[in-house]
Each structure stands twice: as structure tokens, then as C-alpha cells.
Amino acid sequence: MKLSADLVAFQRRLGHDFADPALLIRALTHGSLSSATRPDNQRLEFLGDRVLGLTIAEALLRADRGATEGQLAPRLNALVRGETCAEIARQIGLGEVLKLGRSEMMTGGRRKDALLGDAMEAVIAAVYLDAGFEPARAMILRLWGDRIAGAEAAAFNAKTALQEWAQAQGMAPPRYQIAERSGPDHAPLFRITVTLDDGRQADASGTGTKRSIEQAAAQAMLDLIGEIP
């Protein structure tokens, strides 16, 4: 099977030439385009998630030999979550080669975090099946390298920190509300407000997931109350 020019270029960005190009094509095929003769990438996504998790867990252990399980777990979660996988996917232009059905094409599927993150995990699995664990591991460490080094900072959870602060003051958990929503369905713009029991409010806006905007709002509140990590 001969790959198209855009997939050959993607291989170069990925840093792996496939002995079995069909694996790469399957990894890039979303369910909206699948058929009886064209399998989608969901099974590969399942495997890739495990290969990624093992690789990152091992790298974190090596990077900080004194860290406890309680310190390592949030770092791992920050590095393997869908948003991070989507960021890596954008870094290597994965969205440009995703194979999508018309419905996903029309709603901006190439830019969606969920689709990009899932496809990134599927590509990891494709490399693993094509060449084995060591090449897959080397690719992950190369693509995630800077993020692994900054894992401790990435693991900070502003929502958790704000909730713990509020509880320490005898307050109920902070309340998050969507104050405004605009833009197209495939790339909505949210403004989310967080409110404390004493009436103080802070907000944040963005086009990411609601969870990421809530994190930004929580960080804005931490800045406001002087609890900056």
C-alpha cells in the first residue's frame, strides 16, 4: 500500500515510517467514516492509551526518584489526559490528515480536542503494533519531552486548590456557571464565572473545553484572593 503525499509528510513529522501503512490509515480513520471494509481507530485508541500511560509513568518515576504516589498520580493524569494528547496532535499537524465523515468535516472535526486526542492515542498504538514498544516509547518521549520535564507545574489543579481553600474558610464549594456562550457549535466561546459563598466572583473566557475554562476561572479567583501557587 502506497501512502499519499500528505501521509508521507505526516510520517516525517511523527518520526516513524510505517512498515504496514494500513495501520496508520486505520489510526487516522474516525468512526464517522468507518464501514465494514474500513475499520475506525477506536480499538487502537484503547491500546494507545495504555502504551502512553506506561511510558509516561515510567518516565515520571525516572525523572523524580523521590516523588510519592500521591505526587506522581496528578502529574500522570495531566500528561495523558485528552487535552494534552490533542495539543501534541496539533503540534504534529495530525488534524490535517484525519479521515472524517462529512458530518464531522462540516462541524470542524479536525479542530476538536476529543477527536484529536483519540487519534493521537490511536497513532501511538499503530506505531507500537508496527514496530514494537521501544520505537513507540521513543516517539512518546520525544513528543512529550518538555511536558514531562514540567509535569509538576502541569499537575496543579486550580479548581481543587480553590475548593480546598474555600473549605478551610468554612465555605461551601465554589459554584461555576456559564455566563455567556457564543460562536459556532464546533468551536464555542465560553465565559464561565466562579462564585464564592461571600459573593466574590471571578471569570475566564476561552474556546477550549468547559473544564479548561473552569480551571482558568478558578485560577483567576486564586489570584484575586491572594492564594497564588
Side-chain angles (χ1 to χ4, degrees):
M1 179 185 293
K2 186 175 181 180
L3 291 174
S4 60
D6 60 342
L7 289 182
V8 170
F10 176 72
Q11 282 191 136
R12 288 197 295 269
R13 297 194 297 272
L14 187 64
H16 178 76
D17 290 331
F18 280 84
D20 181 1
L23 283 169
L24 175 60
I25 292 173
R26 180 172 180 178
L28 296 171
T29 301
H30 183 256
S32 61
L33 193 65
S34 65
S35 67
T37 58
R38 187 199 294 265
D40 63 31
N41 61 9
Q42 289 185 350
R43 286 172 60 86
L44 289 178
E45 173 201 339
F46 170 82
L47 176 60
D49 177 60
R50 276 68 187 173
V51 176
L52 174 63
L54 174 60
T55 299
I56 297 298
E58 179 189 33
L60 290 173
L61 284 173
R62 293 178 181 274
D64 189 347
R65 298 183 182 277
T68 65
E69 188 276 340
Q71 293 171 318
L72 292 169
R75 298 177 195 176
L76 174 66
N77 291 337
L79 292 174
V80 303
R81 64 190 177 193
E83 292 90 344
T84 303
C85 289
E87 290 171 5
I88 299 292
R90 291 189 179 93
Q91 178 182 310
I92 59 175
L94 190 153
E96 300 169 15
V97 292
L98 265 181
K99 298 184 178 302
L100 304 172
R102 179 174 174 79
S103 61
E104 284 294 349
M105 288 280 288
M106 296 294 289
T107 57
R110 297 188 189 281
R111 299 187 296 275
K112 292 180 180 178
D113 276 5
L115 270 64
L116 290 171
D118 291 349
M120 188 68 240
E121 291 177 342
V123 167
I124 290 170
V127 173
Y128 169 79
L129 293 175
D130 190 63
F133 180 70
E134 283 305 320
R137 175 179 176 275
M139 179 191 69
I140 292 167
L141 294 178
R142 177 171 53 81
L143 294 177
W144 264 259
D146 291 343
R147 287 172 172 80
I148 293 171
E152 185 174 357
F156 174 74
N157 188 307
K159 286 184 67 177
T160 299
L162 181 59
Q163 180 165 326
E164 291 175 349
W165 179 88
Q167 289 175 338
Q169 310 306 309
M171 298 181 184
R175 302 185 301 279
Y176 296 86
Q177 292 180 309
I178 298 176
E180 186 178 347
R181 185 187 187 282
S182 59
D185 288 341
H186 65 270
L189 173 66
F190 293 105
R191 182 167 68 86
I192 292 179
T193 299
V194 58
T195 305
L196 297 178
D197 260 4
D198 62 7
R200 280 182 287 184
Q201 290 187 329
D203 62 25
S205 302
T207 55
T209 63
K210 285 193 289 186
R211 183 170 66 177
S212 67
I213 309 305
E214 287 177 351
Q215 287 283 348
Q219 183 61 62
M221 180 61 81
L222 289 172
D223 294 344
L224 178 66
I225 63 180
E227 290 292 318
I228 305 173

